[in-house]
Amino acid sequence: MKMLFVFLSILAASSNRTRQCTPRETLIDITTDNYDQIMGSSQLRPVFARMQNEGCSFAPASEANWREASELFPNIKFVRAYCIKYNQLCHTLGSSVSPSHSLFGTDKTKPLESFGNPVDISKSSSFYSDVIYKNLGYYPFDSPTIEEL
């Protein structure tokens, strides 16, 4: 009987352990220091770049939708470049206005699509999702929470 109690105690203690997954980092600030690591040919994930000027009055309206899109597509690296500090980097990525956006496929030699600041990016993340689906055929991930299962 004592042996059964010890076994059940060990079983109960071990069942309280939880596994933690480290979420994949999908929203990254791109700089001259990490540009090659993100845009290099050895990196197999597509990259969606957002270039903006610090203090630009048009950028904040779409920032939350950009962040939401990055969470819906963990298989894409969403990067943000600040053009006042990294002007040449923004030019390389295809910046034309603030904010500007460029979607790169896995080869990253030239953007699959580039756009500036259309009104729809301030309404929802759907515009970003549509651009991704049109160019890469990717659907957004919607991970259920434990409560929903």
Side-chain angles (χ1 to χ4, degrees), residues 44-48 75-77 103-106 108 136 138:
L44 298 177
R45 286 169 59 197
V47 171
F48 209 158
N75 50 342
I76 297 173
K77 282 193 176 185
L103 176 64
F104 294 87
T106 54
K108 298 180 204 59
L136 298 172
Y138 290 6

Side-chain angles (χ1 to χ4, degrees), residues 24-80:
R24 191 178 255 191
E25 187 178 21
T26 58
L27 186 57
I28 303 163
D29 287 336
I30 191 168
T31 66
T32 52
D33 294 334
N34 65 4
Y35 178 84
D36 289 335
Q37 180 184 356
I38 292 169
M39 298 298 288
S41 61
S42 64
Q43 184 56 247
L44 298 177
R45 286 169 59 197
V47 171
F48 209 158
R50 176 181 172 99
M51 292 76 62
Q52 65 188 57
N53 291 326
E54 298 86 331
C56 171
S57 60
F58 299 106
S62 59
E63 182 67 31
N65 298 327
W66 174 255
R67 194 173 300 278
E68 180 180 304
S70 76
E71 293 169 3
L72 292 172
F73 292 93
N75 50 342
I76 297 173
K77 282 193 176 185
F78 281 71
V79 300
R80 184 177 39 215

Side-chain angles (χ1 to χ4, degrees), residues 108-119:
K108 298 180 204 59
T109 54
K110 66 178 186 169
L112 300 172
E113 185 167 338
S114 294
F115 56 92
N117 189 29
V119 173

Side-chain angles (χ1 to χ4, degrees), residues 17-25 74 143-144 146:
R17 297 187 316 171
T18 58
R19 292 186 189 175
Q20 297 262 336
C21 292
T22 304
R24 191 178 255 191
E25 187 178 21
S143 302
I146 295 295

